[in-house]
Amino acid sequence: MTKEWSQRGYESTVIASRYVDFRPKPPQQLTERIVEFLKEKYPGDLSLCLDVGCGSGQCSVLLSPHFKKVLATDISCSQIDVAKSQNHPSNIEFCF
């Protein structure tokens, strides 16, 4: 693997499409604990979640029931394209 590939391999359409199929799904307990922690530390309304480095959106989907809106972004256009192509809740917006 060359240094160039390791730095830019995430931009590959092939890798992005495989990533969505093979990335392990975090356990629901983890998502619930994250939200519980946020509620302990932040007294306000959980209206907006910013998912930085969202990849193909798996965690964005898990967080979406807990927020009015999830803004999910990634450095890879290919990952965002894959995320947009998946079935996802309407309160998630994927952007590059």
Side-chain angles (χ1 to χ4, degrees):
M1 174 171 24
T2 67
K3 185 175 182 182
E4 175 66 18
W5 187 91
S6 67
Q7 291 176 349
R8 305 200 55 100
Y10 58 83
E11 294 177 358
S12 163
T13 303
V14 172
I15 290 179
S17 62
R18 289 184 181 162
Y19 182 82
V20 73
D21 292 330
F22 294 103
R23 182 182 181 273
K25 181 179 176 182
Q28 184 63 34
Q29 308 171 303
L30 178 60
T31 305
E32 291 170 6
R33 180 60 190 121
I34 290 169
V35 173
E36 181 182 309
F37 177 81
L38 285 172
K39 288 179 178 179
E40 290 170 4
K41 303 297 180 186
Y42 179 70
D45 185 27
L46 297 182
S47 58
L48 177 64
C49 172
L50 178 59
D51 186 359
V52 179
C54 70
S56 50
Q58 291 96 329
C59 288
S60 305
V61 170
L62 292 175
L63 291 166
S64 68
H66 304 282
F67 295 88
K68 291 179 185 172
K69 180 170 184 153
V70 176
L71 182 58
T73 184
D74 199 279
I75 193 171
S76 169
C77 289
S78 296
Q79 290 286 355
I80 293 297
D81 289 342
V82 169
K84 287 179 177 179
S85 74
Q86 302 296 307
N87 185 16
H88 58 81
S90 61
N91 67 328
I92 301 176
E93 179 183 343
F94 293 102
C95 59
F96 175 69

